[in-house]
Amino acid sequence: MTQQLENILPILQDEHQKQALQNAMNIGVPSMKNEEWKYTYFQKIWQQDFNPILSSATFDFNDIKTFIDNNATSSNRLVFVNGQFQHELSNLQNHPAINFWNAKNTASTNSNDFLLELNNALSTDGIFLEIGNNVVVDDLIEIFYLHSIAAPFINIKNKIKIGKNAVVKFAEQFINYDEQTAYYNTVTTLEVAESANIEWNKIQDGGNNFYITDNMHIEQATKSICAVNTFSFSGGITRNVLTYDVNGERSESHMNGLSLLLNNEHVDNRTLVNHNVANCESYELYKNILGGTSTGVFNGKIIVAQAAQKTNAFQSNRTILVSNDATINTKPQLEIFADDVKCSHGATSSQIEDSELFYLQARGIGKETARGLLVFAFGEEVVEKINHQPLKEKVEKRVAEILKIEL
Amino acid sequence: MTEQDAIIDEVVNSEYKYGFVTNIEQESAPKGLNEDIIRFISAKKEEPEWMLEWRLKAYKEWQKMTEPAWANVHYPKVDFQDVVYYTAPKPKKNLNSLDEVDPELLKTFEKLGISLDEQKRLSGVAVDVVFDSVSVKTTFQETLKEKGIIFCSMSEAVRNHGDLVKKYIGTVVPQKDNFYAALNSAVFSDGSFCYIPKGVRCPMELSTYFRINAAGSGQFERTLLIADEGAYVSYLEGCTAPQRDENQLHAAVVELIALDNAEIKYSTVQNWYPGDKDGKGGIFNFVTKRGMCKGSNSKISWTQVETGSAVTWKYPSCILAGDNSIGEFYSVALTNHFQQADTGTKMIHIGKNTKSRIVSKGISAGKSQNSYRGLVKVHKKAENARNFSQCDSLLMGNLCGAHTFPYIEVSNNTSKVEHEATTSKIGEDMLFYFQQRGIDEETAVAMIVNGFCKEVMDHLPMEFAVEARKLLEISLEGSVG
C-alpha cells in the first residue's frame, strides 16, 4: 500500500494532511523489529490491496438501516458508512445538552506513530461530541462503523469531551455488513472532566477478513471514573492501543478485555496507564480464550510518576489456550518511580482444570458441554463489566454462540 | 564443623596456587582491539590453533554488531578501543599490617564477619605462611582428582583438556549471541573450567578464584561448567567482600551444561564497586550467563545476590531442552545511590514436562533504578510445561524506581504459566510494630528486608547466606530515615 500512499500525496488538498502523510512515510511501516510491534505482523495488513477512502460513496440506505436496526441494542446511535458520518441514520444531533458536529480534519500532531499520522492524513470524518456538565444520558450511545464498497481502508478520528458530573455509556460496534474484507484505522480521544463517569465498550466482531488498528487516548480529571471494555470475537488482525493519562487526583481507571478467538485471528491489546498524580487507582483485567491457530498479545504498561504517591494499580492477564496451535504473548510491565504505591500484576496461561471438568461430568454434563460452560464462565467475568443490560445480553449470547453452548 | 567443611574453609581462605598468577609474565597489550591483539592474547596463553580461530571468528561477528540499547540503564558510552584487553596482573602492593588498610574497608569486613586472615588477604596484606596450609589444599585437590573432577583455569583447560573445551565451548552461548558475549569470546582472558564426570557427586562446594585468587582473572572471564550424566555440583562465584577493581567494564560469559540426570547449582554474590554516593565511577557489569539442561531429568539452579556494580546487565537463563528438566532462578538485586540494575532470567521450555521457577526480589533505595526483565517461553512441543514466576519489588525512598518487564510467550495448551509481581514500600504499620517492641528503625528495616529476601537467601550455600544477609544490611545503611 506504500505505493498507493505515494499516489495520494499529491491529491491531498489540506496542508496538514499532506504534512501528516509525509510524516507517516518518513516514519515508515512498523516492522516486528520495533519493540511495540514485536508480536504483530503489520505487513499482513499492509501487503493487501485496500483502497483508501477519501470521499463519500453511495450505498443502499434501506439495507443498512435494516442491518443497524437488527444489531442495535439502544436507541441512541451514531452511524458511519464508508467513513462518512450519516445524519439520517444517526439520531443524537438534536439532544439539547450535547454539542455535536462532524470534525473536519484540522489536527496536526507530530507523533512518532505511523498509524496516528496516517489517520491524520487520511481521516475522512469523525464525531466531535461535547457532552455538557451534569448530563446523564440514560441509554447507551452506539457507534456503528460500516462500509459498502470492496476492500476499503477507512480512517476515522473521533474527539469526545465529557462535561463535569456527566454520566455516559458508549459502545463502538466494529461489525461487518457484508462479510467483505476491510481495514479500519480509528483514533479516538476522550477528555473526561471532573467527577464524570464514563463507560466505553468496543465490540470487535467483523469476521476474519476484518482488520482494525484502533488507538484510544483518554485524559481523566479529578474524581472521574472511566472504564473501557474491549471485546474481540473475530478479525484478521486487531490491534487496540489504549492510553490513559490520569491527570486528576482520586480518579479511577478501569480496563477490561475479552478476546475469544477460535480460528486464526490475531488480537493485540496494548494498554498504557500514566499515573501522573497522586491518590488514583487503576484496575486492569484482560482475559484471552484462544483456540484454532489464533494469537493473543497483551502488553500492559503502568507508569507511576514520582509525584503519583499512594497510587494503587492492579493488572491481571489470564489466558486459556484451548488448542495447541494457539499462542499467547504477554508482557505486563510496571515502571514505578514513586515509593508509596501498591502495584501488582499477574499473568497466567493454562487450560481448563481436569478436576473442574470432572465435577461437571460427575453431574451428568457431557465433556464438551462442561468444557464450554467452564470457558464461558471464565469469559463471563469480563462480560459482566458491561453496565447496559441489552448490550450485556447480546455479548453473552455471542460468547455462547461461539462456544456452542446453550444458555 | 565436619571435616569436609573444615577443608573447604581452609581452602577458600588460602592462596590459589594452581598457576593463575605465577605463570603469567608481567606484560600488557597495547590499548585497543584488533586481530593482532587477539593473536597476542592467544599466543600469550599458548593456545592451540583452533582456539585462536574460534576467537577470531567471534571478533569478526563482534565487528558487525552494535551495542544493545534496549536495557533500562543509562551510562556513558564505552570506548572499546580505549580498553586494554590483556594485562598480566600487577603485583599488589604488599602492606605490612592491617593498620595500613583503609579503615572504611576494615569496618565493612568486620561487619561482614570475615576472618582476620581473609581480611588481610583481601586487602593485600602479606599473609602468614602458617595459614597457607599446603597439605590441606593437596587433600582438596586429591579428593577432586580421585573422583575424576576437572577443576582448573580456562587457559589450563584449553591446553590440557582441549577436546572437552572444544566440544562444549560456545554451545550454550554462541560467539555471536550478543554484543558482549561476542566481545568476550574474542578476548576472554581467563576463567574457570569444571567437568564433573558421569555419576559423580562433587563432594564440596566449588568456589572460584575470587576467593581463592586475589589477583582475579580480569574483566573478560569465561566460565564453562559441564556436569556429565548423573553428576552433581554446587558452584560458588563471587565474594561478599567489596572488590576494588580497576577495570570499569566487565563482560563475562558463563556456560553451564547439564546432561542426563545431572544437577548444577550456581550461586553468585556480586559486590563490585558500585560507584560513590554521587554516582561517580563504579563497574559496568555486562554478563551473559546461560545454562543448558541438555539431558532429561537435568536441573540447573541459579541463585544470585547482586548488590554491587554501577550498571548491571545480567540475565542468567536456562534452556530446558531435556524432558523433565528443571530450571530455577532465585535473585536478590539491591541498588542504592545511583546504581542501575537490569536483571532477570529467561526460561525456555523445549522439552516435555519441563518445570521452571523464578523468584526475583528487587530492592531499590536512594536514586537507583532497578529493573526485572524476564522471558518465559513455552515451545509448542513442551507438553505439560510448568512455570511459576514471582517478582517483588521493594522501594525505599521516593527518588528510586522499580520496573518489571516480564515477557511471557506460550504456544502449548497443556502448559501452565503463572506470573505475579508486586511493588510496594515498607509499610508504616510494619515499622511501627517493630518500634513498639523496642527495635530501632534501622534494625527493623534490615529485618524486614531480610525477611523479604529470605526465600532467595535460603537457596544460597550456608557460608554465603550468612555473609549475604549482612551485606544487604550494609548496602542499605543510611538509606532509611
Side-chain angles (χ1 to χ4, degrees):
Chain A
M1 288 216 322
T2 308
Q3 184 58 46
Q4 292 201 29
L5 291 190
E6 277 164 22
N7 296 342
I8 289 170
L9 190 60
I11 321 169
L12 286 178
Q13 303 290 319
D14 187 280
E15 272 311 308
H16 288 304
Q17 281 177 295
K18 257 191 181 156
Q19 188 54 48
L21 190 60
Q22 195 62 58
N23 288 349
M25 283 155 72
N26 290 345
I27 295 162
V29 182
S31 84
M32 286 173 100
K33 280 189 180 165
N34 183 338
E35 177 71 22
E36 295 293 305
W37 289 89
K38 190 169 161 69
Y39 299 112
T40 300
Y41 185 56
F42 182 69
Q43 285 291 352
K44 191 184 164 192
I45 302 178
W46 204 244
Q47 280 164 1
Q48 297 187 40
D49 271 327
F50 289 113
N51 309 309
I53 305 295
L54 295 170
S55 53
S56 55
T58 54
F59 58 94
D60 189 326
F61 185 88
N62 289 329
D63 267 14
I64 294 243
K65 188 167 186 333
T66 325
F67 181 77
I68 290 169
D69 286 339
N70 290 339
N71 282 286
T73 54
S74 123
S75 51
N76 297 328
R77 60 187 73 149
L78 303 167
V79 179
F80 292 86
V81 179
N82 298 328
Q84 299 287 336
F85 185 72
Q86 304 300 328
H87 283 271
E88 292 76 18
L89 291 166
S90 312
N91 61 0
L92 217 58
Q93 297 94 311
N94 302 322
H95 193 290
I98 298 178
N99 273 329
F100 181 95
W101 59 92
N102 346 351
K104 262 289 150 225
N105 191 15
T106 51
S108 68
T109 54
N110 223 334
S111 70
N112 280 322
D113 191 301
F114 175 78
L115 292 172
L116 282 181
E117 290 298 328
L118 202 59
N119 186 280
N120 282 337
L122 304 177
S123 64
T124 39
D125 211 342
I127 33 175
F128 190 165
L129 213 59
E130 213 173 304
I131 296 189
N133 293 346
N134 310 317
V135 173
V136 177
V137 183
D138 287 328
D139 209 354
L140 187 72
I141 299 176
E142 274 188 296
I143 304 167
F144 285 90
Y145 301 120
L146 298 166
H147 56 269
S148 66
I149 34 185
F153 171 31
I154 293 169
N155 287 273
I156 288 172
K157 192 204 301 282
N158 300 321
K159 191 169 181 180
I160 293 163
K161 277 187 177 173
I162 313 284
K164 286 179 191 172
N165 303 316
V167 180
V168 198
K169 294 187 198 88
F170 293 90
E172 259 179 310
Q173 300 273 9
F174 294 86
I175 46 179
N176 209 343
Y177 158 66
D178 57 2
E179 298 293 315
Q180 290 302 310
T181 181
Y183 171 34
Y184 279 80
N185 180 29
T186 51
V187 175
T188 304
T189 52
L190 191 61
E191 282 177 39
V192 184
E194 268 176 61
S195 305
N197 187 340
I198 300 304
E199 178 182 320
W200 189 284
N201 299 291
K202 291 177 199 285
I203 317 291
Q204 299 172 329
D205 195 4
N208 281 352
N209 294 318
F210 204 76
Y211 298 85
I212 304 169
T213 50
D214 180 57
N215 189 310
M216 188 163 190
H217 185 257
I218 297 166
E219 279 179 40
Q220 272 188 272
T222 312
K223 289 186 207 161
S224 61
I225 300 172
C226 184
V228 174
N229 307 320
T230 310
F231 297 90
S232 310
F233 298 135
S234 59
I237 288 178
T238 307
R239 181 178 156 102
N240 297 307
V241 180
L242 176 59
T243 311
Y244 274 79
D245 264 312
V246 184
N247 296 332
E249 291 198 22
R250 284 182 290 282
S251 54
E252 266 180 50
S253 317
H254 298 262
M255 282 141 277
N256 305 298
L258 174 64
S259 302
L260 170 53
L261 314 168
L262 296 184
N263 302 303
N264 59 351
E265 304 88 345
H266 178 108
V267 172
D268 183 352
N269 275 313
R270 314 184 79 76
T271 66
L272 165 63
V273 184
N274 287 310
H275 278 286
N276 300 326
V277 293
N279 297 312
C280 292
E281 295 183 8
S282 68
Y283 300 89
E284 251 179 278
L285 174 66
Y286 273 84
K287 287 194 165 186
N288 299 299
I289 301 164
L290 306 175
T293 55
S294 65
T295 311
V297 181
F298 174 73
N299 185 351
K301 202 194 272 191
I302 297 174
I303 299 179
V304 180
Q306 204 184 318
Q309 298 291 357
K310 306 235 182 292
T311 293
N312 287 347
F314 305 103
Q315 189 184 70
S316 171
N317 175 236
R318 304 185 58 190
T319 303
I320 288 185
L321 296 178
V322 291
S323 98
N324 203 17
D325 294 315
T327 306
I328 173 73
N329 297 313
T330 163
K331 182 185 171 201
Q333 186 176 341
L334 294 175
E335 291 193 42
I336 294 164
F337 296 92
D339 65 331
D340 191 4
V341 298
K342 281 199 183 114
C343 294
S344 69
H345 66 217
T348 60
S349 160
S350 65
Q351 52 183 345
I352 295 292
E353 289 282 344
D354 283 344
S355 58
E356 291 171 5
L357 270 182
F358 178 75
Y359 182 91
L360 291 177
Q361 282 180 284
R363 276 146 188 83
I365 297 166
K367 196 170 182 180
E368 282 317 302
T369 320
R371 197 184 295 274
L373 281 174
L374 289 168
V375 174
F376 179 82
F378 177 83
E380 180 67 11
E381 190 185 349
V382 183
V383 180
E384 273 178 353
K385 305 279 181 189
I386 302 175
N387 263 322
H388 182 262
Q389 199 56 29
L391 183 69
K392 188 173 128 190
E393 280 167 14
K394 193 183 155 199
V395 172
E396 258 169 13
K397 235 180 236 165
R398 179 70 181 133
V399 173
E401 184 193 347
I402 296 171
L403 293 172
K404 299 196 179 78
I405 56 167
E406 280 172 40
L407 285 181
Chain B
M1 198 186 271
T2 63
E3 194 191 349
Q4 203 178 68
D5 287 337
I7 293 170
I8 295 165
D9 218 50
E10 285 295 327
V11 170
V12 295
N13 282 313
S14 62
E15 286 274 289
Y16 194 82
K17 279 202 176 158
Y18 304 150
F20 275 55
V21 182
T22 42
N23 292 347
I24 302 165
E25 287 165 48
Q26 307 292 333
E27 204 176 333
S28 297
K31 270 184 185 176
L33 182 57
N34 52 48
E35 283 198 13
D36 291 340
I37 295 283
I38 293 164
R39 281 175 205 282
F40 174 82
I41 294 170
S42 191
K44 272 278 158 206
K45 299 193 159 294
E46 297 165 30
E47 286 175 350
E49 186 63 25
W50 64 266
M51 195 70 239
L52 174 65
E53 264 161 33
W54 196 83
R55 283 176 183 269
L56 289 175
K57 192 181 154 206
Y59 175 66
K60 280 195 192 100
E61 294 292 345
W62 180 75
Q63 280 177 309
K64 286 185 229 156
M65 293 172 156
T66 48
E67 238 175 301
W70 44 263
N72 192 20
V73 289
H74 306 278
Y75 53 91
K77 240 180 137 50
V78 179
D79 182 356
F80 290 95
Q81 293 303 337
D82 195 36
V83 174
V84 177
Y85 288 89
Y86 182 84
T87 44
K90 293 183 196 96
K92 281 220 167 182
K93 199 177 100 187
N94 269 359
L95 307 171
N96 292 321
S97 79
L98 275 176
D99 300 338
E100 294 172 35
V101 177
D102 180 7
E104 191 91 342
L105 204 63
L106 284 184
K107 233 197 267 168
T108 317
F109 283 151
E110 206 169 296
K111 282 177 192 156
L112 283 170
I114 290 170
S115 75
L116 207 64
D117 288 321
E118 202 178 346
Q119 283 188 31
K120 285 184 185 166
R121 195 181 52 72
L122 286 165
S123 45
V125 177
V127 183
D128 199 347
V129 185
V130 181
F131 167 67
D132 188 17
S133 157
V134 177
S135 61
V136 173
K137 208 183 310 164
T138 319
T139 324
F140 175 77
Q141 207 176 15
E142 266 170 14
T143 317
L144 292 181
K145 212 172 166 186
E146 227 169 71
K147 303 246 177 200
I149 296 170
I150 304 166
F151 181 41
C152 60
S153 75
M154 198 66 183
S155 345
E156 225 174 294
V158 170
R159 287 196 299 269
N160 303 336
H161 307 285
D163 48 336
L164 273 177
V165 177
K166 199 173 175 181
K167 185 173 172 193
Y168 289 109
I169 196 167
T171 54
V172 184
V173 181
Q175 287 122 303
K176 54 179 175 183
D177 186 77
N178 67 63
F179 184 79
Y180 298 110
L183 180 64
N184 176 290
S185 302
V187 301
F188 71 86
S189 35
D190 213 328
S192 305
F193 175 83
C194 179
Y195 174 79
I196 319 284
K198 268 183 199 173
V200 171
R201 206 183 151 83
C202 184
M204 56 197 78
E205 311 263 355
L206 293 182
S207 312
T208 40
Y209 39 85
F210 271 115
R211 278 200 129 174
I212 300 167
N213 180 355
S217 65
Q219 54 197 128
F220 301 105
E221 26 161 337
R222 188 158 190 118
T223 303
L224 179 57
L225 215 158
I226 303 142
D228 212 324
E229 287 170 27
Y232 168 83
V233 61
S234 167
Y235 191 89
L236 313 182
E237 177 203 272
C239 183
T240 47
Q243 296 275 330
R244 305 281 170 184
D245 197 313
E246 287 164 23
N247 300 314
Q248 198 175 24
L249 174 71
H250 275 247
V253 170
V254 176
E255 291 177 282
L256 311 184
I257 295 151
L259 301 178
D260 285 359
N261 303 309
E263 183 178 345
I264 301 173
K265 190 170 155 61
Y266 196 101
S267 314
T268 313
V269 174
Q270 187 257 107
N271 186 21
W272 281 330
Y273 184 50
D276 64 10
K277 279 172 187 154
D278 305 314
K280 277 196 195 116
I283 305 250
F284 297 166
N285 188 18
F286 303 134
V287 190
T288 310
K289 289 187 170 182
R290 197 172 300 152
M292 167 92 89
C293 285
K294 211 170 176 184
S296 56
N297 305 313
S298 53
K299 181 175 175 184
I300 289 179
S301 171
W302 298 97
T303 309
Q304 60 169 23
V305 175
E306 300 274 325
T307 59
S309 297
V311 180
T312 305
W313 184 97
K314 180 181 176 184
Y315 315 94
S317 314
C318 295
I319 301 169
L320 304 170
D323 292 349
N324 310 317
S325 56
I326 299 172
E328 287 178 335
F329 175 75
Y330 299 96
S331 161
V332 170
L334 186 149
T335 52
N336 201 349
H337 306 306
F338 283 87
Q339 277 177 277
Q340 302 174 62
D342 194 307
T343 182
T345 185
K346 284 185 191 178
M347 292 291 172
I348 318 285
H349 292 259
I350 300 168
K352 292 190 178 85
N353 305 317
T354 45
K355 282 185 195 156
S356 64
R357 187 182 175 82
I358 300 169
V359 177
S360 163
K361 307 276 181 182
I363 303 160
S364 5
K367 291 180 180 167
S368 65
Q369 301 293 333
N370 198 330
S371 308
Y372 168 82
R373 186 184 301 275
L375 168 71
V376 175
K377 188 174 177 79
V378 179
H379 277 261
K380 215 173 148 181
K381 299 254 169 75
E383 300 282 326
N384 298 316
R386 185 80 176 85
N387 160 268
F388 173 78
S389 320
Q390 182 187 348
C391 41
D392 297 326
S393 306
L394 197 61
L395 289 156
M396 307 175 83
N398 56 5
L399 298 171
C400 53
H403 318 289
T404 40
F405 306 87
Y407 290 76
I408 301 162
E409 300 175 16
V410 185
S411 319
N412 182 295
N413 73 332
T414 54
S415 61
K416 247 188 209 175
V417 178
E418 287 173 87
H419 172 96
E420 59 181 55
T422 61
T423 304
S424 55
K425 72 165 196 169
I426 295 178
E428 305 269 329
D429 50 340
M430 289 189 222
L431 282 179
F432 181 70
Y433 183 90
F434 278 93
Q435 285 175 301
Q436 216 184 14
R437 277 149 186 82
I439 295 162
D440 68 83
E441 199 180 350
E442 191 140 14
T443 320
V445 168
M447 289 170 85
I448 292 168
V449 167
N450 268 323
F452 178 74
C453 302
K454 190 167 183 300
E455 209 181 335
V456 174
M457 294 301 195
D458 285 350
H459 288 271
L460 279 179
M462 249 295 282
E463 62 261 32
F464 260 28
V466 178
E467 288 179 17
R469 278 200 187 104
K470 288 181 189 150
L471 178 62
L472 285 185
E473 286 168 29
I474 293 167
S475 306
L476 281 174
E477 241 169 39
S479 62
V480 188

